[in-house]
Amino acid sequence: MAIEFTLNGKPVSVDVPSDALLLWVLREDFRLTGTKYGCGRGQCGSCTVHIDGQARFSCRSPMSAIEGKSVTTIEGLSPDGSHPLQKAWISGQVPQCGYCQSGQIMRAAALLQENSSPTHEEIVTHMDPVLCRCGTYNRILRAIESVIEQG
């Protein structure tokens, strides 16, 4: 079944079963490997992408629900790494293993899209669904707050 949607700003069509999961279509069909497989159960957030501007777990998103929607991956957030969050992650030396970082950045980008000046508590609450195995939560929070401060 051909499913049409917008991927990183470009219209695409992919012939996959309607119950295929977006995570695997991104990684296998489009070779966009920045979106990570963590748990496959929507419990870790490593697979976070934007679907119509909202942070969503791609491991829990069947392609039938993607038809006609807009999907943005970490590769589409800023192809050259110039997004303010990406810069803040680098300057703050946020990642250790880095596995969850694309999910963390995509989740943070969705927050700042909705609310350009969230409180510390709002950031913590919004970022809660994405787990960091290395425990760099303080660095993550500082990076997000530095973007907010820079306006």
Side-chain angles (χ1 to χ4, degrees):
M1 160 179 202
I3 296 175
E4 296 179 4
F5 63 104
T6 302
L7 178 58
N8 295 333
K10 298 177 184 168
V12 296
S13 179
V14 64
D15 191 15
V16 294
S18 63
D19 64 347
L21 296 174
L22 176 60
L23 170 67
W24 299 115
V25 172
L26 293 172
R27 293 182 60 80
E28 295 175 5
D29 293 279
F30 292 102
R31 301 290 183 226
L32 297 172
T33 57
T35 303
K36 302 300 183 197
Y37 171 76
C39 67
R41 302 176 67 156
Q43 295 178 339
C44 76
S46 294
C47 68
T48 300
V49 299
H50 295 173
I51 300 174
D52 286 344
Q54 301 294 309
R56 298 285 183 249
F57 297 144
S58 61
C59 76
R60 303 286 292 169
S61 301
M63 290 305 295
S64 60
I66 302 304
E67 176 76 40
K69 303 230 168 131
S70 177
V71 174
T72 304
T73 67
I74 190 72
E75 293 91 348
L77 186 63
S78 173
D80 63 358
S82 64
H83 189 280
L85 284 167
Q86 291 169 314
K87 287 180 176 181
W89 247 247
I90 293 167
S91 69
Q93 299 179 358
V94 173
Q96 283 185 19
C97 81
Y99 202 81
C100 70
Q101 298 310 304
S102 60
Q104 297 280 3
I105 291 170
M106 295 304 289
R107 183 100 185 147
L111 170 63
L112 296 181
Q113 184 98 7
E114 293 172 15
N115 179 356
S116 62
S117 57
T119 66
H120 180 81
E121 292 75 25
E122 288 171 328
I123 296 168
V124 170
T125 299
H126 185 84
M127 296 302 294
D128 187 56
V130 186
L131 302 178
C132 176
R133 296 174 187 175
C134 300
T136 65
Y137 296 110
N138 289 331
R139 291 182 193 175
I140 291 166
L141 294 173
R142 279 195 302 266
I144 296 167
E145 289 171 340
S146 76
V147 170
I148 295 165
E149 290 168 9
Q150 293 172 7

